[in-house]
Amino acid sequence: MDQITLTGMDFYGYHGCLPEEREKGQHFFIDLTIYAELQKAGETDDLSATINYASVYETVRAVVEGEPVRLIETVAERIAAAILREELGVQRLDVTVHKPSAPLGGPFRDAAVHIARSRS
């Protein structure tokens, strides 16, 4: 299956379990790998035969900048569900939500959740 990747999408959200995370917010970085059939788009140079990257980006933005949730697992699930619902050519996708400012109490580079979901 062909792939489209969007990496390092940076949005500001208010997700987390702690009150300060809900009040101050923080950056969340999203990586996506979308699996779809892209041969027709490549052969015809027809935008309507591929996945609209700008639409996917706005879908991700709406989730991350939208209603706060406690877990980045929930953010990832909402992103996957929205993309599978809206982008008909997507067969499968991998979503990684990075939370590099998670309050862990010590130095670390990144906290992230990765999920893989398919169209049923």
Side-chain angles (χ1 to χ4, degrees):
M1 180 91 23
D2 304 318
Q3 300 175 19
I4 295 171
T5 58
L6 300 172
T7 58
M9 292 180 282
D10 180 2
F11 304 105
Y12 204 83
Y14 295 85
H15 311 289
C17 293
L18 301 178
E20 57 266 21
E21 293 179 291
R22 294 294 188 104
E23 293 167 15
K24 295 179 183 177
Q26 60 192 288
H27 288 272
F28 293 85
F29 298 92
I30 312 300
D31 300 331
L32 291 178
T33 301
I34 296 171
Y35 299 85
E37 178 56 54
L38 303 175
Q39 184 174 357
K40 181 179 177 186
E43 292 174 346
T44 63
D45 199 30
D46 181 0
L47 181 61
S48 69
T50 191
I51 305 301
N52 183 330
Y53 311 165
S55 174
V56 169
Y57 183 90
E58 289 306 319
T59 298
V60 175
R61 177 196 302 274
V63 172
V64 179
E65 294 181 354
E67 177 188 358
V69 296
R70 295 180 338 164
L71 303 176
I72 59 175
E73 291 87 343
T74 305
V75 175
E77 286 291 345
R78 288 183 177 185
I79 289 169
I83 291 171
L84 287 170
R85 183 174 53 250
E86 296 173 14
E87 297 292 334
L88 298 179
V90 175
Q91 297 304 307
R92 191 177 118 215
L93 73 156
D94 297 334
V95 180
T96 304
V97 177
H98 300 268
K99 187 177 178 180
S101 298
L104 299 183
F108 70 101
R109 184 171 180 193
D110 190 23
V113 167
H114 177 87
I115 65 169
R117 299 293 178 264
S118 299
R119 186 169 299 285
S120 18

